[in-house]
């Protein structure tokens, strides 16, 4: 086929399996005459039924159970769960508990963002197939990423007992209060990492990121004082401003024929959650040092370029390091790391910011605190409709006249921007293109 007739090119991309997904999925795409006719991001893993598992379980079991939904962001599931159950029981958390929940959440942001930036996304922009190949020529980048990830994991372990599926969280607070000596040692390590984290913001902004301006709705939490993480109202750049209690009145989940995963829409439209949406909606909540590092990049914010999600993660990593350092400086052990719980019948709602975006929980419990119903809406599910919309717009803007490898790589980069659990495969799209001429 001649290059001067790209409109004659028919494209069919079928990816039967997306490797290393937290679940199983596939991508199907058909295009003709330079336009995409059909695009489906299929998730065909059998349902995991975690919500059903929780029914009939005691409130005591919920935090440890939901932590096992995800090995990368278990803290997020625990925090949204305890927030909802405490509302159901009419329990007010102490300031010590609230501050240390935010501290533990900082650890999850640090480890997750460090992993994504350095090991999953960076090889795309430096021209490598994977992080192992990249490490030969850029060992400093890999070492920095692994060091920051370990620091985040150690911060989770500080309060959680372990970094994967932590067991230190309970309704009402924490099972134990770490020592002041351990807090000071961890704080010193955080302080030593700040310069590297600040340099990472400029480093990501200096990469040859594609220019891919799109129109989309940003949705994130917003707090009166802090950059949103553990608490806040759910807002959008289209005027939405609601509490977690009202989430189901505005956000609707639905099944589509090609996916067992639910799709989520806000007033009938796809929307974005995650670092880019959070940063777009909360620029004025950044600390002075983080804002200065962001301004020094020369990039325009709020941003409509989805590839600026990489920069947003670096910004949030720096913010989380500073916040964790601040909280550890003020840390003091307590003899009462949790409040006594008196179960009662009721319902509660929780919404926190997982590294990948808003994580919403809703529970109904009986008078003994046993779960009657549970509903959990994770960020990757909320982003799925936006991912399909992004793939369509980005691939068409990129140009369907490009060869198979270029289309595959662009598709992978688009999906990796959202850091869904399929990100841990460096090249998960095996593209087969059928061409024909009319």
């Amino acid at each position: 086929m001649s290059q001067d007739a790209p409109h004659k090119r028919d494209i069919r991309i079928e990816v039967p399996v997306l490797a290393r997904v937290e679940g199983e999925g596939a991508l199907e795409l058909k295009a003709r005459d330079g336009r995409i006719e059909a695009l489906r991001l299929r998730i065909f893993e059998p349902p995991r039924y975690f919500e059903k598992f929780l029914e009939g379980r005691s409130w005591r079991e919920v935090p440890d159970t939901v932590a096992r939904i995800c090995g990368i962001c278990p803290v997020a599931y625990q925090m949204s769960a305890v927030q909802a159950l405490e509302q159901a029981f009419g329990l007010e958390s102490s300031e010590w508990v609230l501050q240390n929940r935010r501290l533990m959440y900082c650890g999850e942001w640090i480890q997750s963002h460090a992993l994504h930036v350095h090991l999953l996304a960076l090889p795309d922009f430096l021209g490598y197939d994977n992080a192992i190949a990249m490490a030969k020529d850029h060992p400093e980048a890999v070492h920095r990423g692994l060091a920051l990830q370990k620091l985040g994991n150690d911060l989770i372990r500080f309060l959680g007992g372990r970094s994967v599926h932590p067991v230190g969280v309970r309704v009402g607070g924490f099972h134990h209060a770490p020592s002041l000596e351990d807090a000071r040692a961890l704080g010193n390590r955080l302080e030593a990492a700040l310069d590297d984290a600040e340099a990472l913001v400029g480093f990501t902004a200096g990469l040859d990121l594609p220019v891919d301006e799109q129109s989309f709705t940003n949705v994130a939490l917003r707090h009166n004082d802090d950059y949103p993480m553990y608490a806040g109202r759910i807002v959008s750049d289209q005027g939405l401003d609601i509490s977690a209690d009202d989430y189901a009145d505005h956000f609707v989940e639905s099944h589509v024929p090609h996916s067992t995963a639910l799709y989520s829409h806000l007033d009938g439209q796809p929307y974005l959650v995650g670092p880019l949406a959070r940063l777009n909606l909360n620029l004025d909540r950044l600390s002075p040092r983080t804002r200065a590092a962001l301004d020094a990049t020369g990039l325009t914010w709020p941003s409509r370029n989805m590839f600026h999600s990489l920069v947003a993660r670096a910004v949030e990593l720096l913010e989380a390091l500073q916040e964790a350092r601040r909280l550890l400086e003020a840390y003091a052990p307590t003899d009462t790391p949790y409040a006594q719980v008196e179960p009662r019948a009721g319902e509660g709602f929780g919404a926190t910011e997982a590294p990948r975006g808003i994580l919403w929980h809703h529970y109904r419990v009986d008078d003994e605190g046993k779960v009657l119903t549970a509903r959990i809406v994770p960020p990757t599910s909320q982003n799925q409709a936006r991912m399909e919309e992004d793939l369509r717009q980005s691939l068409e803007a990129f140009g369907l006249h490009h060869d198979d490898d270029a289309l595959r790589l662009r598709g992978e980069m688009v999906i990796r921007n959202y850091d869904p659990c399929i990100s841990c495969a460096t090249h998960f799209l095996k593209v087969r293109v059928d061409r024909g001429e009319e």
Side-chain angles (χ1 to χ4, degrees):
M1 183 175 59
S2 64
Q3 293 185 356
D4 60 353
H7 61 284
K8 295 288 188 180
R9 181 172 181 249
D10 293 349
I11 301 173
R12 182 187 299 272
I13 297 176
E14 295 181 1
V15 188
V17 177
L18 300 179
R20 300 181 187 174
V21 185
E22 188 183 28
E24 299 176 45
L27 176 65
E28 297 178 353
L29 183 150
K30 292 198 308 183
R32 179 186 295 269
D33 298 336
R35 303 288 294 178
I36 294 175
E37 293 183 340
L39 187 148
R40 300 189 301 180
L41 187 58
R42 295 177 53 232
I43 303 297
F44 51 82
E45 180 201 10
R48 300 171 71 198
Y49 297 116
F50 263 95
E51 291 152 315
K52 206 67 179 174
F53 291 160
L54 292 170
E55 292 183 9
R57 299 286 182 177
S58 166
W59 58 271
R60 294 181 177 88
E61 298 178 70
V62 174
D64 287 348
T65 301
V66 298
R68 282 148 177 83
I69 294 176
C70 181
I72 299 175
C73 48
V75 176
Y77 282 91
Q78 291 182 318
M79 294 303 165
S80 290
V82 296
Q83 192 180 98
L85 289 170
E86 288 172 3
Q87 184 188 58
F89 298 148
L91 179 65
E92 292 286 338
S93 296
S94 69
E95 186 64 21
W96 189 93
V97 168
L98 293 176
Q99 292 300 305
N100 283 286
R101 283 178 176 169
R102 185 169 173 85
L103 174 62
M104 189 175 180
Y105 224 142
C106 285
E108 184 156 276
W109 277 30
I110 293 166
Q111 65 87 10
S112 179
H113 286 347
L115 171 67
H116 175 84
V117 170
H118 294 90
L119 303 183
L120 303 179
L122 190 55
D124 287 338
F125 304 109
L126 295 183
Y128 295 89
D129 287 339
N130 52 61
I132 295 175
M134 182 182 73
K136 181 179 179 181
D137 298 324
H138 299 276
E140 73 291 342
V142 175
H143 290 159
R144 178 180 59 202
L146 292 174
L148 288 169
Q149 186 187 21
K150 184 180 188 307
L151 186 55
N153 282 333
D154 289 346
L155 188 51
I156 295 173
R157 187 179 296 109
F158 174 71
L159 287 155
R162 62 191 190 196
S163 60
V164 179
H165 308 321
V167 293
V169 176
R170 56 168 290 164
V171 178
F174 294 90
H175 287 292
H176 79 296
S179 70
L180 183 59
E181 181 182 8
D182 288 345
R184 286 175 174 170
L186 192 53
N188 290 337
R189 291 173 58 199
L190 290 166
E191 179 69 31
L194 282 172
D195 288 345
D196 274 352
E198 183 172 355
L200 182 63
V201 175
F203 175 78
T204 56
L207 295 170
D208 187 17
L209 302 175
V211 177
D212 190 13
E213 298 283 333
Q214 297 183 18
S215 177
F216 50 84
T217 297
N218 294 283
V219 175
L221 294 186
R222 184 164 172 83
H223 189 269
N224 286 339
D225 304 305
D226 302 325
Y227 194 84
M229 187 177 295
Y230 175 74
R233 292 177 63 81
I234 301 170
V235 304
S236 79
D237 54 4
Q238 303 301 311
L240 182 75
D241 186 351
I242 61 173
S243 68
D245 305 41
D246 298 322
Y247 177 93
D249 294 334
H250 298 268
F251 296 85
V252 177
E253 289 187 297
S254 60
H255 283 287
V256 295
H258 60 271
S259 179
T260 57
L262 295 174
Y263 277 53
S264 186
H265 291 82
L266 169 60
D267 299 328
Q269 298 297 319
Y271 60 96
L272 176 70
V273 298
L276 184 60
R278 276 194 300 261
L279 188 57
N280 280 340
L281 293 170
N282 291 282
L283 288 164
D284 58 340
R285 295 293 186 264
L286 293 173
S287 66
R289 181 172 181 174
T290 305
R291 186 57 196 256
L294 180 60
D295 289 344
T297 66
L299 300 176
T300 300
W301 299 88
S303 173
R304 291 290 174 180
N305 184 352
M306 279 304 308
F307 286 100
H308 285 166
S309 295
L310 185 70
V311 183
R313 284 186 175 86
V315 168
E316 289 192 337
L317 195 158
L318 174 59
E319 185 71 8
L321 273 173
Q322 291 184 91
E323 181 69 353
R325 180 71 180 107
R326 181 187 70 81
L327 291 166
L328 282 171
E329 284 180 341
Y331 178 80
T334 178
D335 294 330
T336 55
Y338 61 88
Q340 294 294 335
V341 176
E342 296 183 7
R344 70 182 190 187
E347 68 176 332
F349 305 85
T352 67
E353 283 283 0
R356 291 153 186 80
I358 291 174
L359 174 60
W360 183 79
H361 287 218
H362 174 210
Y363 298 95
R364 291 179 55 249
V365 295
D366 65 15
D367 55 4
E368 295 180 347
K370 290 183 177 179
V371 177
L372 298 174
T373 63
R375 184 181 170 202
I376 298 171
V377 183
T380 295
S381 174
Q382 295 182 71
N383 272 335
Q384 188 154 318
R386 170 88 267 268
M387 273 192 279
E388 285 193 350
E389 183 181 63
D390 189 355
L391 279 164
R392 181 184 296 272
Q393 295 179 18
S394 184
L395 289 174
E396 287 186 350
F398 179 61
L400 298 177
H401 61 281
H402 285 90
D403 64 25
D404 301 0
D405 286 342
L407 289 173
R408 172 191 53 77
L409 179 57
R410 180 54 64 97
E412 291 175 355
M413 292 169 67
V414 168
I415 296 173
R416 263 193 289 269
N417 267 328
Y418 295 83
D419 198 17
C421 292
I422 53 179
S423 293
C424 43
T426 46
H427 284 302
F428 51 82
L429 297 186
K430 295 181 180 179
V431 179
R432 178 166 63 85
V433 180
D434 294 338
R435 296 182 177 85
E437 294 188 9
E438 296 179 340

